[in-house]
Amino acid sequence: PDRIALMGEDGIRPCASLAELVGSDVVVTMLWDDATFRAVTLGQGGLVAALPASAILVDMSTLSPKASVEVAE
């Protein structure tokens, strides 16, 4: 079975672009390094700018604790 389709049955909405995440309550990221994480979260049009202040960002990336703290602040 298609794993992405199965996630949709549980209310999870996979997105192919950051623009699709606008208005989300919870976002889960799984990225491969600090630079990519910073670009996706802090870059132009990134998650920090796109998501409401009440949104929850769950990061499951392979990155340094320093990068996580930078985004959290």
Side-chain angles (χ1 to χ4, degrees):
D2 181 8
R3 291 182 181 177
I4 292 175
L6 290 174
M7 288 190 297
E9 293 174 8
D10 291 328
I12 298 170
R13 183 175 46 108
C15 297
S17 72
L18 295 177
E20 294 178 60
L21 298 172
V22 173
S24 296
D25 297 322
V26 178
V27 173
V28 178
T29 58
M30 294 179 214
L31 304 166
W32 49 92
D33 63 22
D34 289 8
T36 304
F37 180 68
R38 285 185 184 101
V40 168
T41 55
L42 300 174
Q44 184 175 1
L47 293 175
V48 170
L51 295 175
S54 60
I56 297 170
L57 174 60
V58 179
D59 175 53
M60 299 175 65
S61 303
T62 303
L63 52 95
S64 71
K66 180 180 177 183
S68 292
V69 170
E70 287 175 19
V71 172
E73 293 176 339

